Structures are given as structure tokens and as C-alpha cells.
Amino acid sequence: MTGDVPAPLSHRVPDLGALELLLAVARHGSLGQAARDVGVSQPAASSRIRSMERQLGVALLDRSPRGSRLTDAGALVTDWARRVVEAAEAFDAGAQALRDRRDSRLRVAASMTIAEYLLPGWLIALRAERPDTAVSLLAGNSAAVAARLLTGEADLGFVEGLTVPEGLDGTVIAHDRLVVVVAPAHPWARRRTPLTPQELAATPLVLREHGSGTRQVLDAALAVHGGLAQPLLELSSTTAVKGAAESGAGPCVLSELALGEELSARRLVKVPIAGVRLRRQLRAVWPSGHRPTGPARDLLSLTGRDARPTY
């Protein structure tokens, strides 16, 4: 096919503001009153009408000391404008309904430490800002959080692993460190020297399961020291790991965030360790290319950190 390519529609059709101004002139029969109705000055309204006339190539108003009257072409354009503005209002109402439906719920997936020790405070603050938003929380390990985001089961996630899971974008919201703890009766509770990485790696531990952020960090930290020994127990929650360690089953390695009460009451004792880095980053995550919006964006802002993406 040959021929001229049509100009984009936006270049040939007046914007909504100009059409609303024309409708106001039709209602009031006065350019000055129409200008006040739409919240602009009379000179600005007059300039806008002239610009629309040039754009359309027809005169829209007959101006006189008694007011402004629509020309025949202006009456026809006004009729078309009314239908365009009504369609735009319907479009806006539909978009608002979509936003309201989005904002009525928030599905959060979080790894165990964040779900238990950080999220409750953030969700209380979100409730104060968005009392009408229903929030559901799915707690699991970091791998499960990533899976829920990728399948659309969650709107925002929080993980504790070494990196942003594949298919997600994220931002660091906090830092944490893992500590070694034992029951007070364990021999390590009376050590005068720090553990070495080799000692920790060679000792059967009570551990979180594979896929948890805690396990990922520990595995990576001890890989160069011979790797973890066969675990005494592998458990799927921080609470279960703490309970097993308190009962004397053996040492465990957990987030310092999760151990405040147990350490304060001396139900568990922290064992110093030297020569290994057990710090980690806590991240908010979301599907790649889809920045959090609505309640998810608000919850992210409540974590108190600048939400700059990491990849």
C-alpha cells in the first residue's frame, strides 16, 4: 500500500481540557463564566479556544459584547465533545474501580525471621495508613517466597538469602547476622575462646531446612571450611530450631533478631566465633519489571529504607 501515513490521533483531536472548556461555554453562553467554571483565567480560556479552532480548522464561537455563541460547526463539535468527555469519565471511573479493587487487599509472602520479628510492626503501621486494606501473610522459607511471587500468589515478598532470587527485583531493607547458640549446659557455653569456622563446620547442628535464607548464608560461609557436617536435625521453622537447641539437642545457628528473649532469659547462650562472616542482607522483592504499587508500595516505604532496586 502507498499513501500518506495518518497523523497520530493526539495531534488531530483537542485534549480533554479544551473539550471541557467548550462544553462550559455551551452551558453558560459566556467565555468568562466558562473560564471560572473550569478554573482558568479568561485570557487563558480565550487562547485555548483559538488554539482549538486552529487545530480543527473551523470557527467554534461567535464572540460579541453580549457573550459567546456557538457557531453551527461549534454546536456540532460540542455534541461530539460531550460524547468524548462522557467516555473519558466512564474510563476514569473504571480505572478507579480497578485501583480500588487492587488497594482492597495486599498479599505478602515473607521468610520466617522477617515474618515473625519485623513484619508485625510494619503491618501495624500500614493498618494506620490503610485501614480498609485486608492483608494476608504467607510465611515460608526464601525459596517459597520467590515461588509465590513468580506464580502471582503474592504482591510483595521479603527474603533473607544471599542474592535476589532469579526472576525478581529487590531492595535491601535491613541487615542481620547469624549467631551460634547452645543450651546453658552445653560445653560450648563455657568456652573461653571463640569457635573456629572449622569447628563449627565439623559439628552436627540443629539447622533450618534447605531453601531457607539462614541455611543459604550458613552453607556459603562454611563452604570454604569443609562444608556443614551431617545435621543433627533439619527443621522448618525458627521456633522449632530454638526449641530443639533449648532442650539440649545441640548447637544451632539463627538470626540474632530471633533470639532476643532466649538470650535475655539465658535459655540459650551465644557462642562467639571468629574467622567467618555470618552477616546477611534482608530484602524486599517483587517480580522483575513490576515495581510495587498501591498498598505494596506503601508497605515497602514503611520498612524505613530507600527503595533502590538491586538485581
Side-chain angles (χ1 to χ4, degrees):
M1 289 180 61
T2 60
D4 295 336
V5 177
L9 185 63
S10 60
H11 292 174
R12 295 180 285 127
V13 176
D15 62 56
L16 283 173
L19 297 180
E20 288 176 322
L21 175 62
L22 182 62
L23 292 175
V25 174
R27 284 195 304 273
H28 298 292
S30 162
L31 188 60
Q33 183 59 44
R36 288 190 291 274
D37 197 17
V38 300
V40 299
S41 67
Q42 184 165 341
S46 180
S47 174
R48 200 161 199 177
I49 292 293
R50 286 195 298 271
S51 176
M52 185 162 42
E53 288 175 327
R54 288 193 299 272
Q55 184 178 17
L56 295 174
V58 294
L60 300 175
L61 299 179
D62 283 331
R63 300 164 179 83
S64 73
R66 294 186 300 276
S68 298
R69 183 179 63 82
L70 293 171
T71 64
D72 290 343
L76 187 58
V77 171
T78 298
D79 186 49
W80 295 338
R82 185 172 293 107
R83 282 179 272 173
V84 171
V85 170
E86 287 173 352
E89 289 171 345
F91 181 94
D92 183 53
Q96 183 60 51
L98 288 176
R99 288 192 294 271
D100 289 343
R101 186 170 68 181
R102 177 204 66 191
D103 293 354
S104 68
R105 67 170 188 174
L106 173 62
R107 301 166 302 165
V108 180
S111 53
M112 301 300 294
T113 301
I114 296 174
E116 291 183 44
Y117 301 100
L118 293 177
L119 258 175
W122 299 337
L123 293 180
I124 289 170
L126 181 68
R127 179 73 175 173
E129 291 190 5
R130 287 183 172 270
D132 297 327
T133 297
V135 179
S136 60
L137 173 59
L138 302 167
N141 63 36
S142 294
V145 170
R148 286 187 170 120
L149 287 166
L150 293 172
T151 57
E153 298 174 63
D155 306 305
L156 183 65
F158 295 92
V159 297
E160 306 159 9
L162 292 167
T163 60
V164 177
E166 186 176 355
L168 304 179
D169 293 340
T171 183
V172 175
I173 56 166
H175 292 83
D176 182 28
R177 67 170 179 162
L178 304 182
V179 294
V180 182
V181 292
V182 295
H186 192 279
W188 283 2
R190 298 181 293 277
R191 282 185 67 107
R192 295 182 179 276
T193 58
L195 285 171
T196 66
Q198 292 79 9
E199 285 180 284
L200 184 62
T203 301
L205 304 172
V206 180
L207 295 173
R208 284 290 308 277
E209 79 286 6
H210 285 287
S212 73
T214 300
R215 184 66 175 270
Q216 290 174 21
V217 172
L218 189 58
D219 280 337
L222 296 181
V224 296
H225 302 287
L228 285 168
Q230 183 69 26
L232 279 172
L233 293 169
E234 285 185 309
L235 301 171
S236 61
S237 77
T238 298
T239 301
V241 172
K242 287 193 294 186
E246 283 184 46
S247 71
C252 71
V253 181
L254 288 173
S255 164
E256 197 167 34
L257 289 171
L259 292 165
E261 182 180 340
E262 290 76 15
L263 293 174
S264 178
R266 286 198 61 81
R267 296 199 301 272
L268 290 171
V269 177
K270 187 188 301 186
V271 183
I273 182 170
V276 64
R277 181 176 174 82
L278 293 177
R279 282 179 58 82
R280 62 180 178 175
Q281 296 174 323
L282 308 182
R283 292 182 174 86
V285 289
W286 54 87
S288 294
H290 298 276
R291 291 284 300 173
T293 59
R297 179 195 59 227
D298 292 348
L299 177 58
L300 183 57
S301 72
L302 290 170
T303 64
R305 297 300 297 265
D306 179 28
R308 289 171 292 186
T310 56
Y311 304 95

